[in-house]
Structure formats: C-alpha cells, structure tokens
Amino acid sequence: MKAEWVDGFEIKAVAENGEIVISANREGLLSLAKQLTALAGGVPGDHIHYDEYNSLEEGSAELIIEKSKATH
C-alpha cells in the first residue's frame, strides 16, 4: 500500500496510562483518513506502521494499525 500524505501534515501519537492519544493538524487528519480508507480495502494482515522516523512527530510512540479478519 502506498501512503498518501497531504503537504504540511503533523501527527503525534502518545501512549501513557493505558491510553493512546493521536493528535494531528487538518493535513494530518486528512492523511490518516486517506491511509485508513486504503487499508480498509486491503486484505487481513495488511498494516500501516507509523513512527517518529517516517511520519510522526519527534517523541511519538510507535503506532501500528492492522486490518483484522472479517467477523461475519
């Protein structure tokens, strides 16, 4: 899957106290929406890996979003 990014995106993921908080500007939210839509069209096991070295702001936690098997 090719990740599409909207120019100027900023995304940060923080995990603490059992919670994951994803903060993003408008461009970041639009980028995530495009990527999640593409992932939804994939097959079970497809995933997107985000970290501070390829897409998230410095200090972010690693984030992996995976398409699971259909339940019906």
Coordinates of all heavy atoms in Angstrom, one line a residue:
M1 N 0.8 -1.2 0.0 CA 0.0 0.0 0.0 C 0.9 1.2 0.0 O 1.8 1.3 0.8 CB -0.9 0.0 1.2 CG -1.8 1.1 1.3 SD -2.8 1.2 2.8 CE -1.7 2.3 3.7
K2 N 0.6 2.2 -0.9 CA 1.3 3.4 -0.9 C 0.7 4.4 0.0 O -0.5 4.7 -0.2 CB 1.4 3.9 -2.4 CG 2.2 5.1 -2.6 CD 2.3 5.5 -4.0 CE 3.3 6.6 -4.3 NZ 2.9 7.9 -3.8
A3 N 1.4 5.0 0.9 CA 0.9 6.0 1.8 C 0.8 7.3 1.1 O 1.8 7.8 0.5 CB 1.8 6.1 3.0
E4 N -0.4 8.0 1.2 CA -0.6 9.3 0.6 C -0.5 10.3 1.8 O -1.2 10.1 2.8 CB -1.9 9.4 -0.1 CG -1.9 8.7 -1.4 CD -3.2 9.0 -2.2 OE1 -3.6 10.2 -2.3 OE2 -3.8 8.1 -2.6
W5 N 0.2 11.4 1.6 CA 0.4 12.4 2.6 C -0.1 13.8 2.0 O 0.3 14.1 0.9 CB 1.8 12.5 3.1 CG 2.3 11.3 3.7 CD1 3.1 10.3 3.1 CD2 2.0 10.8 5.0 NE1 3.3 9.3 4.0 CE2 2.7 9.6 5.2 CE3 1.3 11.4 6.1 CZ2 2.6 8.9 6.4 CZ3 1.3 10.6 7.3 CH2 1.9 9.4 7.4
V6 N -0.8 14.5 2.8 CA -1.2 15.9 2.5 C -0.1 16.8 2.9 O 0.4 16.7 4.1 CB -2.5 16.3 3.1 CG1 -2.9 17.7 2.8 CG2 -3.6 15.3 2.7
D7 N 0.4 17.7 2.1 CA 1.5 18.6 2.4 C 1.2 19.3 3.7 O 0.1 19.8 3.9 CB 1.8 19.6 1.3 CG 2.4 19.0 0.1 OD1 3.0 17.9 0.2 OD2 2.3 19.6 -1.0
G8 N 2.2 19.4 4.6 CA 2.1 20.1 5.8 C 1.6 19.3 7.0 O 1.3 19.8 8.0
F9 N 1.5 17.9 6.8 CA 0.9 17.1 7.8 C 1.7 17.1 9.1 O 3.0 17.2 9.0 CB 0.6 15.7 7.3 CG 1.9 14.8 7.3 CD1 2.3 14.1 8.3 CD2 2.6 14.8 6.1 CE1 3.5 13.3 8.3 CE2 3.8 14.1 6.0 CZ 4.2 13.3 7.1
E10 N 1.1 17.0 10.2 CA 1.7 16.9 11.5 C 0.9 15.9 12.3 O -0.3 16.1 12.5 CB 1.9 18.2 12.3 CG 2.8 19.2 11.6 CD 2.9 20.5 12.4 OE1 2.3 20.6 13.5 OE2 3.5 21.4 11.9
I11 N 1.5 14.8 12.8 CA 0.8 13.8 13.6 C 1.7 13.4 14.8 O 2.9 13.2 14.6 CB 0.5 12.6 12.7 CG1 -0.2 12.9 11.5 CG2 -0.3 11.5 13.5 CD1 -0.3 11.8 10.4
K12 N 1.1 13.3 15.9 CA 1.8 12.8 17.1 C 1.0 11.7 17.8 O -0.2 11.9 17.9 CB 2.1 13.9 18.1 CG 3.0 13.5 19.2 CD 3.5 14.7 20.0 CE 4.5 14.2 21.0 NZ 5.5 15.2 21.4
A13 N 1.6 10.6 18.2 CA 1.0 9.6 19.0 C 1.7 9.4 20.3 O 2.9 9.3 20.4 CB 1.1 8.3 18.2
V14 N 0.9 9.5 21.4 CA 1.4 9.4 22.7 C 0.7 8.3 23.5 O -0.6 8.2 23.4 CB 1.3 10.7 23.5 CG1 1.8 10.6 24.9 CG2 2.0 11.8 22.8
A15 N 1.4 7.4 24.1 CA 0.8 6.3 24.9 C 1.2 6.4 26.3 O 2.4 6.4 26.6 CB 1.3 4.9 24.3
E16 N 0.3 6.6 27.2 CA 0.5 6.6 28.6 C -0.7 6.3 29.4 O -1.8 6.6 28.9 CB 1.2 7.9 29.0 CG 0.4 9.2 28.6 CD 1.2 10.5 28.9 OE1 2.4 10.5 28.7 OE2 0.5 11.4 29.4
N17 N -0.5 5.7 30.6 CA -1.7 5.4 31.4 C -2.7 4.6 30.7 O -3.9 4.8 31.0 CB -2.3 6.7 32.0 CG -1.3 7.5 32.8 OD1 -0.4 6.9 33.5 ND2 -1.4 8.8 32.7
G18 N -2.3 3.7 29.9 CA -3.3 2.8 29.2 C -4.1 3.4 28.1 O -5.0 2.9 27.6
E19 N -3.7 4.7 27.7 CA -4.4 5.4 26.6 C -3.4 5.7 25.5 O -2.3 5.9 25.7 CB -5.0 6.7 27.1 CG -6.0 6.5 28.2 CD -6.5 7.9 28.7 OE1 -5.8 8.9 28.6 OE2 -7.6 7.9 29.3
I20 N -4.0 5.7 24.3 CA -3.2 6.2 23.1 C -3.9 7.5 22.6 O -5.1 7.4 22.4 CB -3.2 5.1 22.0 CG1 -2.5 3.9 22.5 CG2 -2.5 5.7 20.8 CD1 -2.6 2.7 21.6
V21 N -3.2 8.5 22.5 CA -3.8 9.8 22.0 C -3.0 10.1 20.7 O -1.8 10.2 20.7 CB -3.6 10.9 23.1 CG1 -4.1 12.2 22.5 CG2 -4.3 10.6 24.4
I22 N -3.8 10.3 19.7 CA -3.3 10.7 18.4 C -3.7 12.1 18.2 O -4.9 12.4 18.1 CB -3.8 9.8 17.2 CG1 -3.4 8.4 17.5 CG2 -3.3 10.3 15.9 CD1 -4.0 7.4 16.6
S23 N -2.8 13.0 18.0 CA -3.1 14.5 17.8 C -2.5 14.8 16.4 O -1.4 14.4 16.0 CB -2.3 15.3 18.8 OG -2.7 15.0 20.1
A24 N -3.4 15.5 15.6 CA -3.0 15.9 14.2 C -3.6 17.2 13.8 O -4.7 17.5 14.3 CB -3.4 14.7 13.3
N25 N -2.9 17.9 12.9 CA -3.5 19.1 12.3 C -4.4 18.6 11.2 O -4.6 17.4 10.9 CB -2.4 20.0 11.8 CG -1.5 19.5 10.7 OD1 -1.7 18.4 10.3 ND2 -0.5 20.3 10.3
R26 N -5.0 19.5 10.5 CA -6.0 19.2 9.5 C -5.4 18.3 8.4 O -6.0 17.3 8.0 CB -6.5 20.5 8.8 CG -7.5 20.3 7.7 CD -8.0 21.6 7.1 NE -9.0 21.4 6.1 CZ -8.7 21.0 4.8 NH1 -7.5 20.8 4.4 NH2 -9.7 20.8 4.0
E27 N -4.2 18.7 8.0 CA -3.5 17.9 6.9 C -3.2 16.5 7.4 O -3.2 15.5 6.7 CB -2.2 18.6 6.5 CG -2.5 19.9 5.8 CD -2.8 21.1 6.7 OE1 -2.8 21.0 7.9 OE2 -3.1 22.2 6.1
G28 N -2.8 16.4 8.7 CA -2.5 15.1 9.3 C -3.7 14.2 9.3 O -3.7 13.0 9.0
L29 N -4.9 14.8 9.7 CA -6.1 14.0 9.8 C -6.6 13.6 8.4 O -7.0 12.4 8.2 CB -7.2 14.9 10.4 CG -7.0 15.1 11.9 CD1 -8.1 16.1 12.4 CD2 -7.1 13.8 12.8
L30 N -6.4 14.4 7.4 CA -6.8 14.1 6.0 C -5.8 12.9 5.5 O -6.3 12.0 4.9 CB -6.7 15.3 5.1 CG -7.8 16.3 5.3 CD1 -7.5 17.6 4.5 CD2 -9.1 15.8 4.9
S31 N -4.6 13.0 5.9 CA -3.6 12.0 5.5 C -4.0 10.6 6.1 O -4.0 9.6 5.5 CB -2.2 12.3 6.0 OG -1.7 13.5 5.3
L32 N -4.3 10.6 7.4 CA -4.7 9.4 8.1 C -6.0 8.9 7.5 O -6.1 7.7 7.3 CB -4.9 9.7 9.6 CG -3.7 9.9 10.4 CD1 -4.0 10.4 11.8 CD2 -2.8 8.7 10.4
A33 N -6.9 9.7 7.2 CA -8.2 9.3 6.6 C -7.9 8.6 5.2 O -8.5 7.5 5.0 CB -9.1 10.5 6.4
K34 N -7.1 9.1 4.4 CA -6.7 8.5 3.1 C -6.1 7.1 3.3 O -6.4 6.2 2.6 CB -5.8 9.4 2.3 CG -6.4 10.6 1.7 CD -5.3 11.4 0.9 CE -6.0 12.6 0.3 NZ -5.1 13.1 -0.8
Q35 N -5.2 7.1 4.3 CA -4.5 5.8 4.5 C -5.4 4.8 5.1 O -5.3 3.6 4.8 CB -3.2 6.1 5.4 CG -2.2 6.9 4.6 CD -1.2 7.5 5.5 OE1 -0.8 7.0 6.5 NE2 -0.6 8.6 5.0
L36 N -6.3 5.1 6.0 CA -7.2 4.2 6.6 C -8.2 3.7 5.6 O -8.6 2.5 5.6 CB -7.9 4.8 7.9 CG -7.0 5.0 9.1 CD1 -7.7 5.8 10.1 CD2 -6.3 3.8 9.6
T37 N -8.6 4.5 4.7 CA -9.5 4.1 3.6 C -8.8 3.1 2.7 O -9.4 2.1 2.4 CB -10.0 5.4 2.8 OG1 -10.7 6.2 3.7 CG2 -10.9 5.0 1.7
A38 N -7.6 3.3 2.4 CA -6.8 2.4 1.6 C -6.6 1.1 2.3 O -6.8 0.0 1.7 CB -5.5 3.0 1.2
L39 N -6.3 1.1 3.6 CA -6.2 -0.1 4.4 C -7.5 -0.9 4.5 O -7.5 -2.1 4.4 CB -5.7 0.3 5.8 CG -5.4 -0.8 6.8 CD1 -4.3 -1.7 6.3 CD2 -5.0 -0.3 8.2
A40 N -8.6 -0.2 4.6 CA -9.9 -0.9 4.6 C -10.1 -1.7 3.4 O -10.8 -2.7 3.4 CB -11.0 0.1 4.8
G41 N -9.6 -1.3 2.2 CA -9.7 -2.0 1.0 C -8.7 -3.2 0.8 O -8.8 -3.9 -0.1
G42 N -7.8 -3.3 1.8 CA -6.8 -4.4 1.7 C -7.3 -5.7 2.2 O -8.5 -5.9 2.4
V43 N -6.4 -6.6 2.5 CA -6.7 -7.9 3.0 C -6.3 -8.0 4.4 O -5.4 -7.3 4.9 CB -5.9 -9.0 2.1 CG1 -6.4 -9.0 0.7 CG2 -4.4 -8.8 2.2
P44 N -6.9 -9.0 5.2 CA -6.5 -9.1 6.6 C -5.0 -9.3 6.7 O -4.3 -10.0 5.9 CB -7.2 -10.4 7.0 CG -8.4 -10.4 6.2 CD -8.0 -9.9 4.8
G45 N -4.4 -8.7 7.7 CA -2.9 -8.7 7.9 C -2.2 -7.5 7.3 O -1.1 -7.2 7.7
D46 N -2.9 -6.8 6.3 CA -2.3 -5.6 5.9 C -2.2 -4.6 7.0 O -3.0 -4.6 7.9 CB -3.1 -4.9 4.8 CG -2.9 -5.6 3.4 OD1 -2.0 -6.5 3.3 OD2 -3.7 -5.2 2.5
H47 N -1.1 -3.8 7.0 CA -1.0 -2.9 8.2 C -0.2 -1.6 7.7 O 0.4 -1.6 6.7 CB -0.3 -3.5 9.3 CG 1.1 -3.9 9.0 ND1 1.5 -5.0 8.3 CD2 2.3 -3.3 9.3 CE1 2.8 -5.1 8.2 NE2 3.3 -4.0 8.8
I48 N -0.3 -0.6 8.6 CA 0.4 0.6 8.4 C 1.2 0.8 9.7 O 0.7 0.7 10.8 CB -0.5 1.9 8.2 CG1 -1.5 1.6 7.0 CG2 0.3 3.1 7.9 CD1 -2.6 2.7 7.0
H49 N 2.5 1.1 9.5 CA 3.4 1.3 10.6 C 3.9 2.8 10.6 O 4.4 3.3 9.7 CB 4.6 0.4 10.4 CG 5.6 0.4 11.6 ND1 6.4 -0.6 11.9 CD2 5.8 1.4 12.6 CE1 7.1 -0.3 13.0 NE2 6.7 0.9 13.4
Y50 N 3.5 3.4 11.7 CA 3.9 4.8 11.9 C 4.9 4.9 13.0 O 4.8 4.3 14.1 CB 2.7 5.7 12.3 CG 1.6 5.7 11.3 CD1 0.5 4.9 11.5 CD2 1.6 6.5 10.2 CE1 -0.6 4.9 10.6 CE2 0.5 6.5 9.3 CZ -0.6 5.7 9.5 OH -1.6 5.7 8.7
D51 N 6.0 5.8 12.9 CA 6.9 6.1 14.0 C 7.5 7.4 13.7 O 7.3 8.1 12.7 CB 7.9 5.0 14.2 CG 8.8 4.8 13.0 OD1 9.2 5.7 12.3 OD2 9.2 3.6 12.8
E52 N 8.3 7.9 14.7 CA 8.9 9.2 14.5 C 10.0 9.3 13.4 O 10.4 10.4 13.1 CB 9.5 9.7 15.9 CG 10.7 9.0 16.4 CD 11.2 9.5 17.7 OE1 11.2 10.8 17.9 OE2 11.6 8.7 18.5
Y53 N 10.4 8.2 12.9 CA 11.4 8.2 11.9 C 10.8 8.3 10.5 O 11.5 8.6 9.5 CB 12.3 7.0 12.0 CG 12.9 6.9 13.4 CD1 12.5 6.0 14.3 CD2 13.9 7.8 13.7 CE1 13.1 5.9 15.5 CE2 14.5 7.8 15.0 CZ 14.1 6.8 15.9 OH 14.6 6.8 17.2
N54 N 9.5 8.0 10.3 CA 9.0 8.1 8.9 C 7.7 8.9 8.8 O 7.3 9.1 7.7 CB 8.8 6.6 8.4 CG 7.6 5.9 9.1 OD1 6.9 6.5 9.8 ND2 7.5 4.6 8.8
S55 N 7.1 9.3 9.9 CA 5.8 10.0 9.7 C 5.3 10.8 10.9 O 4.6 11.8 10.8 CB 4.7 9.1 9.2 OG 4.6 8.0 10.1
L56 N 5.7 10.4 12.1 CA 5.2 11.0 13.3 C 6.1 12.0 13.9 O 7.3 12.0 13.6 CB 4.9 10.0 14.4 CG 3.8 8.9 14.0 CD1 3.6 7.9 15.2 CD2 2.5 9.5 13.6
E57 N 5.6 12.9 14.7 CA 6.5 13.9 15.3 C 7.5 13.3 16.3 O 7.2 12.2 16.8 CB 5.6 15.0 16.1 CG 4.6 15.7 15.2 CD 5.3 16.6 14.1 OE1 6.2 17.4 14.5 OE2 5.0 16.4 12.9
E58 N 8.6 14.0 16.5 CA 9.6 13.5 17.5 C 8.9 13.2 18.8 O 8.1 14.0 19.3 CB 10.7 14.5 17.6 CG 11.8 14.1 18.4 CD 13.0 15.1 18.5 OE1 13.1 15.9 17.5 OE2 13.7 15.1 19.5
G59 N 9.3 12.2 19.4 CA 8.8 11.8 20.8 C 7.6 11.0 20.7 O 7.0 10.6 21.8
S60 N 7.1 10.7 19.5 CA 5.9 9.9 19.4 C 6.1 8.4 19.7 O 7.2 7.9 19.5 CB 5.3 10.0 18.0 OG 4.8 11.2 17.7
A61 N 5.1 7.7 20.1 CA 5.1 6.3 20.3 C 4.9 5.6 18.9 O 4.3 6.2 18.1 CB 4.0 5.8 21.3
E62 N 5.5 4.4 18.8 CA 5.2 3.7 17.5 C 3.7 3.3 17.5 O 3.1 3.0 18.5 CB 6.1 2.4 17.4 CG 7.5 2.7 17.2 CD 8.3 1.4 17.0 OE1 7.9 0.6 16.1 OE2 9.3 1.2 17.7
L63 N 3.2 3.3 16.3 CA 1.8 3.0 16.1 C 1.6 2.1 14.9 O 2.1 2.4 13.8 CB 1.0 4.3 15.9 CG -0.5 4.2 15.7 CD1 -1.2 3.6 16.9 CD2 -1.1 5.6 15.4
I64 N 1.0 1.0 15.1 CA 0.7 0.0 14.0 C -0.8 -0.2 13.9 O -1.4 -0.5 15.0 CB 1.4 -1.3 14.2 CG1 2.9 -1.1 14.3 CG2 1.1 -2.3 13.1 CD1 3.7 -2.3 14.7
I65 N -1.4 0.0 12.8 CA -2.8 -0.2 12.6 C -2.9 -1.3 11.6 O -2.3 -1.3 10.5 CB -3.5 1.1 12.1 CG1 -3.3 2.2 13.1 CG2 -5.0 0.8 11.8 CD1 -3.8 3.5 12.6
E66 N -3.6 -2.4 11.9 CA -3.7 -3.6 11.1 C -5.2 -3.9 10.8 O -6.0 -3.8 11.6 CB -3.1 -4.7 11.9 CG -3.1 -6.1 11.1 CD -2.4 -7.2 11.9 OE1 -3.0 -7.6 12.9 OE2 -1.3 -7.5 11.5
K67 N -5.4 -4.4 9.6 CA -6.7 -4.9 9.2 C -6.9 -6.3 9.7 O -6.1 -7.2 9.4 CB -6.9 -4.8 7.7 CG -8.3 -5.3 7.3 CD -8.6 -5.1 5.9 CE -10.1 -5.6 5.6 NZ -10.4 -5.4 4.2
S68 N -7.9 -6.5 10.5 CA -8.2 -7.8 11.0 C -9.1 -8.6 10.1 O -9.6 -8.1 9.1 CB -8.8 -7.7 12.4 OG -10.1 -7.1 12.3
K69 N -9.2 -9.9 10.5 CA -10.1 -10.8 9.7 C -11.6 -10.3 9.9 O -11.9 -9.8 10.9 CB -10.0 -12.2 10.2 CG -8.7 -12.8 9.8 CD -8.4 -14.2 10.2 CE -9.5 -15.0 10.9 NZ -9.2 -16.4 11.2
A70 N -12.4 -10.6 8.9 CA -13.8 -10.2 9.0 C -14.4 -11.1 10.0 O -14.1 -12.3 10.2 CB -14.5 -10.5 7.6
T71 N -15.4 -10.6 10.8 CA -16.0 -11.3 11.9 C -17.4 -11.8 11.5 O -18.1 -12.4 12.3 CB -16.1 -10.5 13.1 OG1 -16.9 -9.3 12.8 CG2 -14.8 -10.1 13.7
H72 N -17.8 -11.6 10.2 CA -19.2 -12.1 9.9 C -19.1 -12.9 8.6 O -18.2 -13.2 8.0 CB -20.2 -11.1 9.7 CG -19.8 -9.7 9.4 ND1 -20.6 -8.7 9.2 CD2 -18.6 -9.1 9.2 CE1 -20.0 -7.6 8.9 NE2 -18.8 -7.9 9.0

